């Protein structure tokens, strides 16, 4: 080990920053974040740097560096582009045994700055000892995405409860076990989603009425329209911590592959008219598994609250006070529209967009068709393949121009995506001639005419017709 990582408490302490340019500005930002009192010394000092330092209790001196600048300070950072000055600063500091960091010159430093992932109070520093700074920054990027920003809230929650837990457990080992359980159970999820009061309440309950195991919880997660790259960080994190997953046909195989390997997988179906489980059975199963103490992932295509019956699935959980959370996903309309180059709104064509179900009850057309025929809106029909001829005919019957552009997007965002474009009048015939596979999304409106211009020519040919 070439360096010992330590964390420096700079709150209210004087720090000298030599240099007045953009690198000095970056360092000043960091020092101010750590609540240091920054003194800047340089013949020229940028205005942004000056006002930031002054606004945070520091001072600026437009003069050359001299050794007496080192009086009183606890840390020195040299960020000038002049090698001789950097050298001088470093030598003076070494003489005085003052910690010094010279930007981009590890040989002159007694302390080096790591790349930082800031989840205060949780703080992660990554360093290559100055040997491979780009690599350190790449590692930081990986950690940034693996540790959600909300870990700050989790750490805040832990720090708030620390004394109470300490007072409760005389035995350090028991205390450690308690924290491990709390920081991986429902309180963790509550804190991560911002409900610190709820997390504290849960922790208190666990202190006063200890239970052998945590209660279970349910994550209702939107998995997006198919492309695994469209998952959210939160979805991925919960997918990797769930013990059992309930999924249906809309969840693509590559997405399912990202679920924790040893998780139990339960297929709950939902192909049109061939439900593997009835909705009420799914609701009950979620509840039963959670009551057994399991972390249950309910993985849904798109967004759980858009034609996803997500509301129904959590109602029973709410009644039984089972902790749950809902994670939004990219809905099919957004995913398919973007991947097909069809903006859902556009100043020239559509001032609003409507998501409509095309799953018409008993084949009857009980939609408010009159509201759907306005020319300044885009219509997006979910579950509209079987009723495509009726939908197009009703819109025309209620006054929509038969020449209105319409697109059917098949298996959107997947490598098998196909975009079938036509008009309200011609689309049903065209689709009847082609072998079209569900899921499909129907987009109707002037914006569809932009598809030719805006569709993506960049990559995989499978994304084009
Ligand atoms: N909750 C989902 C919608 C569920 S309803 C969401 O927010 O996307 C199921 C309908 O969604 C399908 O009938 C189809 O119309 C649409 N859909 C879902 N994924 C799709 C995809 N990859 N391509 C095209 N349509 C899709």
């Amino acid at each position: 080990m070439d360096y010992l990582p330590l964390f420096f408490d700079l709150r209210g302490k004087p720090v000298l920053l030599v240099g007045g340019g953009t690198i000095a500005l970056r360092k000043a930002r960091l020092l101010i974040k750590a609540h240091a009192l920054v003194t800047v010394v340089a013949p020229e000092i940028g205005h942004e740097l000056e006002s930031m330092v002054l606004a945070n209790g520091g001072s600026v001196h437009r003069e050359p560096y001299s050794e007496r600048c080192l009086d009183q300070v606890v840390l020195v950072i040299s960020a000038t582009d002049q090698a001789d000055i950097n050298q001088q600063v470093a030598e003076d500091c070494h003489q005085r045994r003052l910690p010094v960091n010279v930007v981009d010159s590890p040989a002159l430093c007694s302390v080096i700055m790591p790349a930082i992932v800031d989840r205060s109070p949780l703080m992660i520093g990554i360093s290559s000892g100055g040997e491979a700074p780009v690599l350190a920054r790449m590692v930081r990027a990986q950690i940034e995405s693996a540790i959600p920003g909300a870990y700050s809230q989790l750490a805040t929650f832990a720090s708030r409860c620390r004394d109470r837990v300490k007072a409760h457990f005389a035995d350090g080992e028991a205390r450690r076990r308690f924290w491990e359980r709390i920081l991986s159970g429902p309180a963790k999820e509550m804190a991560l989603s911002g409900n610190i009061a709820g997390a504290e309440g849960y922790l208190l309950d666990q202190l006063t009425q200890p239970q052998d195991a945590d209660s279970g919880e349910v994550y209702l997660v939107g998995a997006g329209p198919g492309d695994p790259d469209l998952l959210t960080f939160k979805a991925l994190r919960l997918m990797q911590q769930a013990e059992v997953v309930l999924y249906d046909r809309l969840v693509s195989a590559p997405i399912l592959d990202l679920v924790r390997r040893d998780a139990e997988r339960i297929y709950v179906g939902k192909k049109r008219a061939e439900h593997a489980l009835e909705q009420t059975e799914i609701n009950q199963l979620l509840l039963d598994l959670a009551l057994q103490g399991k972390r249950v992932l309910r993985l849904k295509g798109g967004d759980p609250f858009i034609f996803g019956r997500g509301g129904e699935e959590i109602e029973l959980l709410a009644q039984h006070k089972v902790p749950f959370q809902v994670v939004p996903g990219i809905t099919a309309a957004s995913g398919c529209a973007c991947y097909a180059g069809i903006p859902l709104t556009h100043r020239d064509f559509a001032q609003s967009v409507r998501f409509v179900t095309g799953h018409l009850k008993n084949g009857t057309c009980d939609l408010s068709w009159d509201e759907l025929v306005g020319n300044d809106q885009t219509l997006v029909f979910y579950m509209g393949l079987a009723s495509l001829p009726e939908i197009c005919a009703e819109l025309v019957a209620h006054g929509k121009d038969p020449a209105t552009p319409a697109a059917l997007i098949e298996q959107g965002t997947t490598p098998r995506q196909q975009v079938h474009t036509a008009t309200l009048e011609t689309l049903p015939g065209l689709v009847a001639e082609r072998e079209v596979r569900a899921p499909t999304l129907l987009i109707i409106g002037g914006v569809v005419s932009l598809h030719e211009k805006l569709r993506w020519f960049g990559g995989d040919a499978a994304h084009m017709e």
Side-chain angles (χ1 to χ4, degrees):
M1 189 156 85
D2 293 327
Y3 293 86
L4 178 70
L6 296 169
F7 292 85
F8 207 151
D9 175 9
L10 286 179
R11 187 176 288 270
K13 310 237 171 76
V15 174
L16 177 70
L17 180 59
V18 185
T22 49
I23 299 175
L25 177 68
R26 276 211 298 276
K27 297 296 166 189
R29 261 193 210 118
L30 210 55
L31 291 168
I32 285 168
K33 256 187 160 177
H35 311 285
L37 295 177
V38 182
T39 299
V40 186
V41 172
E44 282 172 36
I45 296 173
H47 286 300
E48 192 181 348
L49 174 58
E50 176 178 19
S51 50
M52 185 172 73
V53 166
L54 293 181
N56 287 281
S59 57
V60 297
H61 303 278
R62 285 198 170 81
E63 59 190 42
Y65 161 79
S66 68
E67 204 222 330
R68 67 182 168 75
C69 301
L70 303 180
D71 294 346
Q72 315 296 335
V73 301
V74 301
L75 173 69
V76 177
I77 295 183
S78 193
T80 78
D81 51 7
Q82 283 163 292
D84 54 336
I85 295 184
N86 286 339
Q87 178 84 31
Q88 188 62 50
V89 174
E91 278 172 18
D92 293 347
C93 290
H94 296 328
Q95 199 91 48
R96 294 189 181 211
R97 299 189 199 261
L98 248 181
V100 60
N101 177 270
V102 180
V103 176
D104 286 339
S105 308
L108 296 178
C109 294
S110 60
V111 292
I112 53 174
M113 290 253 199
I116 294 169
V117 178
D118 182 0
R119 302 287 186 266
S120 292
L122 183 72
M123 188 64 73
I124 303 163
I126 303 127
S127 170
S128 64
E131 302 293 325
V134 174
L135 183 64
R137 282 201 287 276
M138 283 163 65
V139 171
R140 178 185 59 182
Q142 285 175 359
I143 296 180
E144 283 279 5
S145 55
I147 308 222
Y151 262 60
S152 277
Q153 292 159 21
L154 187 57
T156 303
F157 153 67
S159 101
R160 277 213 218 165
C161 300
R162 187 164 175 256
D163 290 343
R164 243 174 301 172
V165 174
K166 202 166 177 187
H168 192 271
F169 292 97
D171 171 18
E173 180 61 19
R175 189 165 70 227
R176 188 182 58 77
R177 275 202 310 274
F178 178 78
W179 270 123
E180 275 176 6
R181 201 159 64 78
I182 287 293
L183 290 177
S184 57
K188 171 189 174 193
E189 288 310 323
M190 286 183 213
L192 283 179
S193 51
N195 180 6
I196 294 190
E200 283 188 63
Y202 185 88
L203 179 139
L204 278 184
D205 282 352
Q206 294 292 311
L207 274 182
T208 47
Q209 314 159 324
Q211 280 156 18
D212 292 343
D214 276 314
S215 65
E217 54 188 330
V218 175
Y219 318 130
L220 182 59
V221 172
D227 182 348
D229 275 0
L230 296 180
L231 283 172
T232 59
F233 288 143
K234 193 166 187 179
L236 189 61
R237 183 170 60 75
L238 295 175
M239 285 161 72
Q240 294 187 344
Q241 78 181 32
E243 293 154 318
V244 46
V245 49
L246 273 66
Y247 66 100
D248 52 49
R249 200 183 50 97
L250 273 182
V251 176
S252 71
I255 287 180
L256 214 52
D257 276 348
L258 295 171
V259 171
R260 202 170 102 181
R261 290 260 165 259
D262 56 350
E264 183 188 349
R265 287 146 205 252
I266 304 176
Y267 175 70
V268 294
K270 284 255 207 85
K271 203 168 180 168
R272 234 170 51 81
E274 80 159 59
H275 295 219
L277 282 185
E278 290 296 332
Q279 186 64 51
T280 50
E281 293 174 307
I282 297 177
N283 304 349
Q284 189 63 45
L285 185 57
L286 286 172
L287 177 66
D288 292 346
L289 289 164
L291 290 177
Q292 289 166 24
K294 299 242 170 73
R295 292 184 201 155
V296 189
L297 172 72
R298 172 67 172 114
L299 203 52
K300 311 205 58 119
D303 181 282
F305 279 1
I306 296 180
F307 303 126
R309 303 186 76 168
E312 297 167 48
E313 298 191 352
I314 54 180
E315 217 175 291
L316 198 62
L317 302 173
Q319 266 170 31
H320 287 79
K321 302 211 165 14
V322 168
F324 64 83
Q325 58 176 309
V326 185
V327 180
I330 291 185
T331 190
S334 300
C336 295
C338 287
Y339 279 46
I342 300 176
L344 290 176
T345 66
H346 188 287
R347 288 203 301 178
D348 297 340
F349 297 103
Q351 278 63 54
S352 67
V353 52
R354 295 180 72 136
F355 297 171
V356 188
T357 173
H359 185 53
L360 308 176
K361 276 188 206 142
N362 316 320
T364 59
C365 301
D366 54 359
L367 291 172
S368 321
W369 297 106
D370 288 331
E371 287 177 21
L372 300 179
V373 294
N375 275 333
D376 56 353
Q377 60 183 333
T378 302
L379 301 178
V380 181
F381 280 89
Y382 287 68
M383 301 168 280
L385 185 57
S387 317
L388 179 65
E390 289 80 12
I391 291 169
C392 295
E394 287 288 348
L395 287 171
V396 171
H398 285 80
K400 192 108 183 142
D401 182 352
T404 306
L408 190 79
I409 300 162
E410 178 182 348
Q411 305 192 59
T413 80
T414 75
R416 295 170 304 283
Q417 172 174 304
Q418 301 279 336
V419 183
H420 310 274
T421 51
T423 64
L424 267 189
E425 191 172 27
T426 56
L427 187 65
L430 180 129
V431 168
E433 281 167 17
R434 298 182 179 173
E435 199 182 316
V436 173
R437 295 224 179 91
T440 62
L441 194 80
L442 175 59
I443 303 183
I444 298 170
V447 289
V448 171
S449 63
L450 295 165
H451 162 69
E452 273 310 310
K453 220 173 18 175
L454 302 182
R455 67 182 176 166
W456 180 44
F457 286 106
D460 189 353
H463 279 290
M464 297 173 235
E465 309 92 300

